[in-house]
């Protein structure tokens, strides 16, 4: 005779496996929520304005999504690990400013290198700055034991203040010849698809593989679920956190590399509210703000969904386009409310 449990129910090994299957199916169904919302939103956009459904407009939406989407991929890792980064917009602005200053200085030298060499050096500098900023955040959070909110709130002001000082309160403009040579990085298309969209797709696929198919990705999720248990499991928590913020810094640098040739300038207002858009994309995509689990592909859908909302507002004038950040703020609050208690 089998012993009964204290509650009088069957032991866990005797429970109906269909219950677990139903739970998994429900989770998969919930995971499709952002995709369903995006499809319905696209249908509504096409009905409100026929220009919305054109190929050119779709490519425009995806190109504008690329900047925030790439940053949001890195932000997914940070939020899944239980952290946050409020400085990504200011970081992008400072990286753009230092790129422009360095490239202009090289072009103005007595024996300047060719434009492609200068651009390559500018790109390398941007990646280096993104990595350094990310490592600094990671060390302050992990070794300094300072809350990520406080660290990145401080660097948010620091980065933008330094850029404002470099620009003397105005704008930093890229040399005209360099701007002409650099322009194709943003404006060129491959097989009809703009270069930023290809880069966004590559970063998203790589991020999904790293998060879901590598030991590092599993460690990131374990730390976000329970950092103390992760330490007991011999996970090198501090190292993983530093690598996570490093990854986000590199993603910010990649987005900035694609953004600079768009306007060829950096100002104190560059990147404002990018952190809001990146965090919104992550939470709309299904990643819990409590950390522990997340999906890069959900983040991609969330980023596109937010861009589609902005595009529909531009095309239909339902409400002022100046209220787009307000819409994103409402989305963050609403999704956070729906996620309450979720782990």
């Amino acid at each position: 005779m089998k012993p009964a449990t204290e509650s009088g129910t069957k032991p866990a090994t005797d429970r109906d496996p269909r219950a677990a299957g139903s739970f998994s199916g429900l989770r998969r169904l919930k995971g499709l929520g952002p995709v369903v919302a995006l499809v319905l939103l696209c249908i509504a956009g096409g009905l409100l304005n026929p220009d919305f459904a054109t190929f050119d407009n779709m490519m425009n939406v995806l190109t504008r999504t690329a900047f925030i989407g790439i940053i949001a991929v890195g932000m997914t890792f940070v939020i899944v690990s239980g952290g946050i980064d409020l400085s990504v917009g200011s970081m992008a602005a400072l990286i753009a400013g230092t790129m422009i200053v360095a490239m202009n200085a090289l072009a103005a030298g007595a024996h300047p290198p060719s434009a492609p060499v200068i651009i390559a050096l500018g790109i390398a500098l941007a990646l280096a700055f993104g990595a350094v900023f990310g490592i600094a955040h990671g060390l302050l959070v992990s070794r300094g034991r300072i809350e990520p909110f406080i660290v990145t709130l401080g660097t948010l002001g620091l980065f933008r203040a330094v850029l404002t000082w470099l620009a003397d309160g105005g704008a930093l403009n890229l040399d005209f010849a360099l701007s002409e040579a650099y322009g194709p990085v943003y404006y060129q298309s491959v097989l009809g698809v703009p270069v930023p969209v290809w880069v966004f797709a590559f970063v998203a696929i790589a991020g999904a593989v790293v998060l879901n198919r590598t030991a590092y990705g599993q460690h990131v999720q374990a730390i976000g679920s329970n950092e103390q248990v992760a330490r007991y499991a011999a996970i090198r928590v501090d190292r993983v956190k530093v690598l996570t913020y490093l990854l986000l810094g590199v993603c910010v640098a990649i987005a900035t590399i694609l953004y600079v040739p768009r306007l060829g300038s950096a100002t104190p207002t560059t990147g404002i509210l990018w952190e809001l858009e990146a965090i919104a994309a992550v939470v709309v995509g299904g990643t819990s703000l409590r950390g522990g689990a997340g999906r890069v592909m959900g983040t991609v859908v969330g980023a596109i969904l937010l861009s589609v909302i902005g595009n529909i507002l531009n095309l239909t004038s339902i409400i002022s386009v100046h209220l787009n950040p307000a819409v994103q703020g409402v989305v963050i609050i609403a999704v956070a409310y729906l996620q309450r208690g979720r782990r």
Side-chain angles (χ1 to χ4, degrees):
M1 182 176 178
K2 290 184 179 181
T5 61
E6 291 183 1
S7 61
T9 60
K10 290 184 179 181
T13 53
D14 292 341
R15 289 176 186 166
D16 190 347
R18 289 176 297 180
S22 299
F23 180 71
S24 299
L26 182 60
R27 287 185 64 185
R28 286 194 293 269
L29 184 61
K30 287 183 177 180
L32 292 176
V35 177
V36 173
L38 178 60
V39 171
L40 294 176
L41 194 61
C42 288
I43 293 173
L47 294 175
L48 291 171
N49 191 323
D51 292 334
F52 173 82
T54 62
F55 179 79
D56 288 343
N57 186 60
M58 290 294 100
M59 288 299 101
N60 177 56
V61 170
L62 290 176
T63 301
R64 291 180 177 274
T65 303
F67 309 121
I68 298 302
I70 291 171
I71 295 174
V73 169
M75 187 70 77
T76 302
F77 283 80
V78 170
I79 291 179
V80 168
S81 72
I84 197 73
D85 193 331
L86 304 177
S87 71
V88 292
S90 298
M91 187 191 302
L94 180 56
I95 292 174
T98 53
M99 275 185 72
I100 291 172
V101 169
M103 292 167 69
N104 286 345
L106 288 172
H111 303 286
S114 63
V117 172
I118 293 176
I119 292 170
L121 291 173
I123 290 173
L125 180 66
L127 292 172
F129 265 91
V132 169
F133 293 153
I135 291 173
H137 283 160
L139 290 174
L140 287 170
V141 170
S142 60
R143 301 293 176 85
R145 300 291 186 264
I146 307 174
E147 288 296 324
F149 178 88
I150 300 300
V151 171
T152 57
L153 184 63
T155 54
L156 178 153
L158 175 63
F159 293 153
R160 197 163 295 281
V162 173
L163 171 66
T164 304
W165 171 73
L166 284 175
D168 196 22
L172 295 170
N173 297 306
L174 187 61
D175 177 81
F176 180 76
L178 290 177
S179 183
E180 288 289 311
Y182 198 2
V185 172
Y186 176 81
Y187 293 103
Q188 189 64 263
S189 296
V190 178
L191 301 177
V193 179
V195 171
V197 178
W198 285 111
V199 177
F200 178 29
F202 174 79
V203 171
I205 293 171
V209 171
V210 170
L211 184 61
N212 299 319
R213 304 294 181 184
T214 67
Y216 164 73
Q218 298 303 312
H219 292 171
V220 169
Q221 296 180 59
I223 291 170
S225 294
N226 192 314
E227 182 176 326
Q228 195 62 40
V229 172
R231 291 185 186 276
Y232 290 149
I235 293 175
R236 302 178 68 176
V237 173
D238 291 349
R239 181 181 178 183
V240 172
K241 284 186 176 182
V242 171
L243 289 175
T244 301
Y245 282 96
L246 167 62
L247 176 62
L248 176 55
V250 171
C251 285
V252 173
I254 293 172
T256 306
I257 289 166
L258 297 173
Y259 181 82
V260 168
R262 179 188 175 197
L263 299 176
S265 65
T267 70
T269 60
T270 297
I272 281 185
L273 294 182
W274 280 16
E275 55 281 338
L276 172 65
E277 296 179 45
I279 294 171
V282 174
V283 298
V284 169
T287 298
S288 173
L289 284 170
R290 294 176 178 268
R295 298 176 296 114
V296 170
M297 288 306 157
T299 295
V300 171
V301 173
I304 296 173
L305 190 149
L306 292 173
S307 291
V308 167
I309 291 174
N311 185 250
I312 291 175
L313 294 179
N314 286 330
L315 292 176
T316 60
S317 299
I318 296 176
I319 62 174
S320 171
V321 296
H322 300 298
L323 291 176
N324 193 28
V327 174
Q328 294 170 350
V330 170
V331 168
I332 291 177
I333 294 172
V335 174
Y337 176 78
L338 294 174
Q339 287 183 350
R340 67 195 188 283
R342 174 184 167 188
R343 190 72 182 172

